[in-house]
Amino acid sequence: MSDHHAGEPLVSIKSVSRRFGDVQALEQVSLEIRQGEFFALLGPSGCGKTTLLRILAGFEHPDSGSVTLDGNDLLAVPPHRRPVNLMFQSYALFPHMSVEKNIAYGLERDRVPKREIRERVDAVLATVGLTGLARRRPHQLSGGQRQRVALARAIVKRPRLLLLDEPLSALDKKVRAEMQLELKRLQHEVGITFVVVTHDQEEAMSLADRIAVMSEGRVRQVDAPVPLYERPADLFVADFIGANNLVTGVVTTEGLRVPDVGLLPCPAAPDAVGATATLAVRPERVRLGADGVLVGVVRDVTFFGGTTRVAVDVTGLDRPLLATVAGAAAVGVGDKTRVDWSGSDAVLLDRT
Amino acid sequence: MRRFSWLYVPAGLTYLFLYLPIVVLVVMSFNAADTPYRWDGFDTAWYGRLFADRAIREGLINTLVVAAGATALSTVLGTLLAVGLARHTRSKLLDAIAVAPAVLPDIVLAIGLLAFYTAVQFTLGLHSILLAHTVFGTAFVAAVVRTRLAHVDGSLEEASRDLGATAAHTFVRITLPSLAPGIIAGALLAFSLSIDEFVIAFFTAGPQDPTLPIVIYSMVRFGVTPEINALATLLLAVSFTFVIAAQRLSRLTESL
């Protein structure tokens, strides 16, 4: 094993900003990526995640801030000398070279002996499950196979850091699920730190150990998938990750007071009493039919097989409350129902 | 069998209109008689006479020298120009100016070049024609390579850099091979345009070394001889070969 230990910071990004004309692509971004982890940069398009990835690869330079890898300044190193490899969204396979030539390209640049190149190419082809396709040209491969070649080409150099730009976006749904598992297995097997850029929150949640949620050039929250889902730090994260019921009101000692609606259950927040805040509660935490505090009319029932989503119109709220129940719903459209949740299942956000 | 459609009639007439003069030319080049008013039977004698003619032979050599030199220069310049335009500028104007010599009327280019050569007191000769042909050749190569570049994924070069290649190595190993079909098609085009170019060559030639089209022009002033027909037929064969080869290559380009 190497002298690097899992959990130690590998990459340290400090106050990085980048501006393109009128657009602030990155604004004072600071992040730490740990040795050996699977890290995701998640956000809607235009949030700056790709710019950050390109800064790590060396194709873009920040206006200010610093980036270190293993404690050394990364920004001073040109892209071809960085121990960092990038898997491009388009895969960027060289069309005039065979699969094995594509994979060997980076090793040849490092002047690795011919014999060792052959061994390492064979080994990586076996790792990604492409043994036997070494002599094919990229245009003779399927989308999933091309992606495996791109992955093999990026990991064969054993980089300290592997960057993946929207790795699954070009694949159809079935292959995507397969590759998702494959990526996780591979990351485990090769022990390289992965940073994946994606706009797909489910992809990020299922792949990554930790996720940085970005919006408008800023990092909103960095957390593991479960805390990110259960304890979003702000309104953007609460709304972007999964479905959420959001209600704004004034915090009191008994709950959240919402005009025309009443008192809603919310976690105790003695220091926030009197402040305006937004309450976020996940649909699967919302209970129907019990002796709930709210009364509403069922507007819509959607059956997904394992679960059912029920939308309930509550007088005074501009959006219907969503509730997810296991199995089929006991209520139908037009039924009156009571709604509530336990205060500890909700989160108070953006207190002012 | 497919049903006959009346729409084939205008199509056929159009092709006839386009190619009848050329067919007449080719047929007449094999005419034993020395006038187009009579058919004395099939004969290849005019081709023999053609190769014996010193003026034509020298004209042909001059033309090949000019075409080869102009093609070499314009292929290098045009390729670099296209890559530079695509990678380092977003100016539509620069783009348009780069390919303008390809669409400018020949006579404009010819007069302009002659005026320029006179102004800088450049002696006229094969070299002045060669440079003149390089002007429009570069524009054609740049235009063809530019089209090819639009089809090439820009991240290929970044991938090469990412895998440890220097900028120079990337240009040789990745950029040039992916542009090769376009570069070759551009070169073939520049060559075939140069060998039969008359107007610009006529203006920029010195008194000593006429190119083949100029030789032909001075010969036909005294009437078209069957010898000229034979020569034109040969030129036709060469041009066709080059144009078809260029087209094949650019089609190959798209499939990559």
Side-chain angles (χ1 to χ4, degrees):
Chain A
M1 246 336 261
S2 66
D3 49 345
H4 303 284
H5 301 288
E8 275 180 20
L10 172 72
V11 180
S12 198
I13 299 165
K14 289 206 181 82
S15 328
V16 162
S17 295
R18 178 76 172 98
R19 201 178 176 82
F20 298 106
D22 295 339
V23 183
Q24 190 74 45
L26 293 173
E27 172 108 45
Q28 297 287 321
V29 169
S30 295
L31 277 177
E32 291 224 317
I33 297 164
R34 297 176 195 147
Q35 173 66 37
E37 77 176 331
F38 203 135
F39 193 88
L41 295 170
L42 172 66
S45 63
C47 73
K49 57 191 193 300
T50 302
T51 306
L52 189 58
L53 193 82
R54 291 176 60 80
I55 285 174
L56 290 174
F59 299 126
E60 206 65 71
H61 225 77
D63 299 328
S64 60
S66 72
V67 180
T68 59
L69 187 136
D70 284 331
N72 305 315
D73 183 11
L74 189 65
L75 298 177
V77 186
H80 64 284
R81 296 232 185 81
R82 295 189 182 191
V84 174
N85 283 123
L86 169 60
M87 198 186 101
F88 289 79
Q89 186 175 10
S90 64
Y91 308 149
L93 299 179
F94 306 131
H96 56 288
M97 293 183 196
S98 65
V99 167
E100 60 184 344
K101 284 278 172 209
N102 262 283
I103 298 173
Y105 189 84
L107 296 174
E108 282 167 5
R109 302 278 57 73
D110 290 353
R111 309 199 188 285
V112 174
K114 276 221 159 101
R115 249 186 78 151
E116 194 191 330
I117 292 182
R118 204 172 324 126
E119 285 165 12
R120 280 170 72 173
V121 169
D122 286 347
V124 81
L125 278 172
T127 308
V128 299
L130 288 180
T131 307
L133 297 182
R135 292 187 194 281
R136 294 267 185 95
R137 289 291 185 90
H139 67 92
Q140 296 170 308
L141 302 175
S142 71
Q145 288 170 332
R146 276 182 218 180
Q147 201 211 27
R148 284 158 197 265
V149 177
L151 198 58
R153 190 176 70 176
I155 60 174
V156 76
K157 291 191 73 179
R158 297 173 192 152
R160 302 279 293 124
L161 181 66
L162 179 70
L163 310 171
L164 303 104
D165 189 4
E166 302 274 2
L168 306 175
S169 64
L171 303 174
D172 59 51
K173 212 173 167 185
K174 191 166 163 279
V175 186
R176 192 184 307 181
E178 223 169 79
M179 277 313 290
Q180 222 165 31
L181 289 174
E182 185 87 6
L183 271 181
K184 251 187 138 157
R185 173 188 69 83
L186 211 94
Q187 197 259 343
H188 209 72
E189 210 174 293
V190 297
I192 298 171
T193 308
F194 278 30
V195 174
V196 61
V197 152
T198 180
H199 66 274
D200 182 337
Q201 44 121 352
E202 277 176 30
E203 193 173 302
M205 302 276 266
S206 61
L207 283 174
D209 300 320
R210 289 196 309 145
I211 299 170
V213 181
M214 295 181 69
S215 139
E216 292 171 344
R218 291 168 189 275
V219 172
R220 297 304 188 113
Q221 187 174 2
V222 186
D223 235 322
V226 174
L228 200 64
Y229 186 80
E230 290 184 343
R231 300 269 162 239
D234 66 13
L235 212 55
F236 176 82
V237 178
D239 203 29
F240 188 71
I241 308 276
N244 234 328
N245 293 298
L246 303 169
V247 186
T248 305
V250 178
V251 182
T252 70
T253 45
E254 297 103 56
L256 189 77
R257 180 171 303 284
V258 182
D260 304 330
V261 180
L263 268 181
L264 303 189
C266 81
D271 53 321
V273 170
T276 302
T278 299
L279 173 138
V281 61
R282 295 286 177 190
E284 60 272 21
R285 301 293 189 187
V286 175
R287 296 185 302 243
L288 292 180
D291 46 354
V293 290
L294 294 174
V295 181
V297 177
V298 176
R299 167 204 275 222
D300 204 23
V301 177
T302 317
F303 183 56
F304 291 110
T307 57
T308 303
R309 168 143 321 164
V310 183
V312 181
D313 278 322
V314 175
T315 323
L317 295 181
D318 44 1
R319 281 205 284 180
L321 284 174
L322 299 177
T324 303
V325 296
V331 292
V333 175
D335 290 356
K336 264 199 171 162
T337 182
R338 286 189 162 271
V339 186
D340 84 351
W341 55 85
S342 101
S344 56
D345 282 339
V347 186
L348 280 180
L349 302 166
D350 291 9
R351 305 170 191 178
T352 49
Chain B
M1 219 186 98
R2 277 176 67 183
R3 218 162 55 83
F4 177 78
S5 161
W6 288 101
L7 282 175
Y8 286 121
V9 175
L13 286 175
T14 307
Y15 272 94
L16 200 67
F17 176 72
L18 286 176
Y19 284 97
L20 192 60
I22 292 172
V23 171
V24 169
L25 168 84
V26 174
V27 170
M28 282 306 156
S29 75
F30 293 106
N31 188 356
D34 62 354
T35 141
Y37 302 110
R38 217 171 60 233
W39 178 259
D40 280 359
F42 182 85
D43 196 350
T44 55
W46 298 112
Y47 288 85
R49 286 272 293 274
L50 186 66
F51 291 115
D53 190 319
R54 216 180 118 227
I56 286 177
R57 223 173 43 229
E58 280 173 1
L60 179 68
I61 291 167
N62 287 341
T63 289
L64 289 177
V65 167
V66 167
T71 302
L73 274 179
S74 44
T75 304
V76 174
L77 290 178
T79 302
L80 294 179
L81 183 60
V83 173
L85 281 173
R87 295 282 180 269
H88 302 292
T89 169
R90 293 220 177 90
S91 159
K92 287 242 159 39
L93 186 69
L94 270 182
D95 238 6
I97 292 173
V99 296
V103 288
L104 275 177
D106 285 353
I107 190 75
V108 173
L109 214 54
I111 295 171
L113 280 161
L114 182 59
F116 173 74
Y117 285 153
T118 315
V120 299
Q121 300 193 334
F122 196 70
T123 40
L124 299 182
L126 279 187
H127 55 283
S128 56
I129 311 176
L130 192 153
L131 288 178
H133 281 186
T134 304
V135 171
F136 69 80
T138 300
F140 273 102
V141 173
V144 176
V145 175
R146 196 85 175 75
T147 316
R148 171 68 188 159
L149 262 168
H151 289 280
V152 176
D153 179 3
S155 54
L156 287 184
E157 287 170 1
E158 285 185 348
S160 167
R161 300 275 285 150
D162 186 67
L163 291 167
T166 58
H169 190 94
T170 298
F171 185 76
V172 176
R173 284 285 307 273
I174 304 299
T175 315
L176 283 184
S178 47
L179 295 181
I183 295 171
I184 295 168
L188 291 177
L189 195 61
F191 189 84
S192 60
L193 286 170
S194 173
I195 51 172
D196 70 347
E197 202 288 322
F198 172 71
V199 179
I200 295 171
F202 188 70
F203 273 69
T204 55
Q208 295 304 320
D209 296 300
T211 59
L212 195 57
I214 299 174
V215 174
I216 297 173
Y217 174 70
S218 50
M219 286 168 79
V220 287
R221 270 190 299 180
F222 310 105
V224 178
T225 66
E227 210 176 328
I228 297 290
N229 290 337
L231 181 59
T233 304
L234 287 181
L235 280 178
L236 186 74
V238 173
S239 294
F240 254 154
T241 314
F242 275 67
V243 169
I244 290 169
Q247 236 183 13
R248 275 276 164 107
L249 277 170
S250 33
R251 211 175 312 152
L252 212 131
T253 295
E254 276 149 38
S255 70
L256 266 180

